[in-house]
Amino acid sequence: MNSIPVIVLAGFLGSGKTTVLNHLLGNRGGTRIGVVVNDFGSIEVDAMSVAGQVGDSMVSLGGGCLCCAVDGSELDAYLEKLADPVHRIDVIVIEASGLAEPEEMVRMLVANENPAVRYGGMVQIVDAAEFDATRARHPETDRHLAVADLVVLNKTDRIDAAERTRIEAALAALCAPGIPVVGADHGRIDPELLFDRRPWTETRGQLSFEDLLAQAHDHDGDDHADHVHAAYEATEFVSEQALGPRRFIEFLDRRPAGLYRIKGSVYFGVPGHEERYEVHAVGRFLRFAPHPWGRGEPRLTQLVLIGSGTDGPALLRELENCREPEPWHAAPESMWGVLRYVHRPAGQSPDSDPDPDPDMAMDPDPEDHPDPEDF
């Protein structure tokens, strides 16, 4: 069973988290998104604003901060409900309270023992127009940015080019090295930066919210929201030859900040590790998940790299240099760099992994990007 990625949308009050979430919901194609809305206060305004879009697939925590749930058991219960196969959820998005502590939320998700879900990265939403004022009111802003995997600089339409350059330089200094910063206005980012959009299938033709959205998009070909992807480039890499795990990890270590997402599967072919390794990266967050090959499925690597301002041919050359012509001669310990990013349910012993901690760093350079276990 494939586990469901859980993505956290964080940011202070007014940064535009709900706007980003609604945009993702409105441009998801046939992807089934489960939503946890964590409002601060007794009136769940944000929950009501998205309820019509997700129906029974939404659960909400009211009256306080999600990170204050005792031992994380309340969140675990909601995630278990959404992960029920009956819902056929593809991805879960948590809209954190504007007063939430991202470190605590990441810690709870990483420590979650439900094999049906896995932490999928934290996206910090920043209000470009109120950047300085937010830092003055909330000094903890700097600490939150330091643990983000991807930063969305929202409301860029409200600042000029010089101000945007200044803020992006400040973010580069506040975030961990290499953390991507995506500009957006009105919360419009390409959902493909966070999750795969499935094609419209069974929901099409029914009187559902998804159908209404689809019809609206069909009749409004000039809708700017439909063209958000135009700001990004996708580079595809396919190799019938195995990749050397050490060289591939080195490639991931030095990937440029403009490379927002990597998805696909990798064939290493190292003895004892001949599975297909699904790879998922959002910003600097990285996770591998081994899966058996299907009957007759060709052993190959297939990757899609999505970014802005990246040099596609240079990325392909680097990946070409990761090829390994004789993987069967590789030592099992060559996989250690990969295995450190494979989530293992509590109690499951690692095979050849030298580090027995299943919740270790999720970034290729844990010294530059704090591990949730260090909070």
Side-chain angles (χ1 to χ4, degrees):
M1 177 182 66
N2 290 336
S3 55
I4 302 171
V6 181
I7 297 169
V8 177
L9 292 184
F12 285 100
L13 299 171
S15 61
K17 297 187 303 298
T18 301
T19 304
V20 171
L21 174 59
N22 281 330
H23 174 75
L24 295 175
L25 292 170
N27 294 271
R28 56 181 159 160
T31 303
R32 297 180 66 86
I33 304 177
V35 177
V36 177
V37 175
N38 167 222
D39 292 314
F40 189 84
S42 58
I43 301 176
E44 302 181 24
V45 178
D46 291 347
M48 289 187 289
S49 72
V50 299
Q53 300 191 27
V54 292
D56 291 338
S57 295
M58 187 191 79
V59 294
S60 180
L61 298 175
C65 193
L66 180 63
C67 62
C68 296
V70 178
D71 297 326
S73 58
E74 191 174 9
L75 174 61
D76 290 346
Y78 285 127
L79 293 178
E80 183 176 359
K81 174 184 176 182
L82 287 174
D84 189 317
V86 71
H87 296 305
R88 293 179 292 120
I89 296 295
D90 298 306
V91 61
I92 296 172
V93 178
I94 296 178
E95 183 193 344
S97 159
L99 300 180
E101 285 292 335
E103 299 99 326
E104 293 300 321
M105 196 168 301
V106 171
R107 187 201 301 258
M108 288 194 301
L109 290 171
V110 170
N112 189 289
E113 298 183 3
N114 185 349
V117 297
R118 56 183 165 85
Y119 176 58
M122 191 192 85
V123 180
Q124 183 79 12
I125 314 297
V126 173
D127 185 337
E130 299 290 332
F131 178 68
D132 294 325
T134 299
R135 289 185 71 197
R137 287 194 306 269
H138 303 286
E140 62 271 32
T141 297
D142 296 3
R143 179 162 45 83
H144 294 183
L145 286 167
V147 299
D149 298 298
L150 179 71
V151 174
V152 174
L153 183 60
N154 195 28
K155 307 183 185 180
T156 54
D157 55 312
R158 296 176 55 188
I159 59 174
D160 59 28
E163 178 69 354
R164 177 170 175 174
T165 298
R166 181 187 72 84
I167 294 174
E168 288 178 341
L171 290 171
L174 293 169
C175 296
I179 294 297
V181 177
V182 181
D185 62 88
H186 300 90
R188 292 181 290 210
I189 64 171
D190 194 332
E192 289 283 348
L193 297 182
L194 305 180
F195 56 80
D196 292 339
R197 278 184 291 187
R198 300 185 184 279
W200 294 100
T201 54
E202 63 199 66
T203 60
R204 205 63 189 267
Q206 300 176 13
L207 295 178
S208 68
F209 179 82
E210 288 180 304
D211 291 305
L212 294 176
L213 278 175
Q215 291 172 16
H217 288 180
D218 287 346
H219 291 89
D220 188 7
D222 294 325
D223 184 359
H224 179 70
D226 290 339
H227 303 288
V228 175
H229 64 275
Y232 312 114
E233 304 95 33
T235 301
E236 298 182 359
F237 175 77
V238 178
S239 174
E240 295 182 358
Q241 199 171 68
L243 299 192
R246 286 175 174 160
R247 289 195 291 274
F248 186 61
I249 288 294
E250 289 172 359
F251 164 78
L252 294 174
D253 282 349
R254 61 177 181 266
R255 65 191 188 271
L259 186 54
Y260 303 136
R261 187 170 182 226
I262 301 173
K263 60 179 181 176
S265 59
V266 185
Y267 171 52
F268 295 113
V270 175
H273 302 280
E274 293 91 348
E275 306 99 322
R276 172 176 60 88
Y277 279 79
E278 179 184 296
V279 60
H280 167 77
V282 173
R284 303 307 290 183
F285 173 80
L286 174 65
R287 180 70 75 198
F288 285 97
H291 298 285
W293 296 98
R295 179 174 297 181
E297 184 178 1
R299 271 56 169 169
L300 48 78
T301 292
Q302 299 183 87
L303 296 171
V304 177
L305 304 93
I306 302 173
S308 178
T310 54
D311 185 342
L315 291 175
L316 290 176
R317 285 194 296 271
E318 289 195 54
L319 286 169
E320 292 283 352
N321 290 334
C322 293
R323 294 177 188 267
E324 175 53 60
E326 298 181 332
W328 50 87
H329 290 322
E333 55 265 28
S334 67
M335 286 292 295
W336 285 351
V338 172
L339 295 178
R340 68 185 304 185
Y341 301 108
V342 174
H343 174 70
R344 294 182 299 274
Q348 178 180 328
S349 61
D351 262 342
S352 306
D353 192 342
D355 190 323
D357 182 1
D359 295 333
M360 63 180 306
M362 295 167 290
D363 186 89
D365 191 346
E367 303 230 353
D368 288 336
H369 189 176
D371 189 318
E373 289 297 311
D374 296 333
F375 300 138

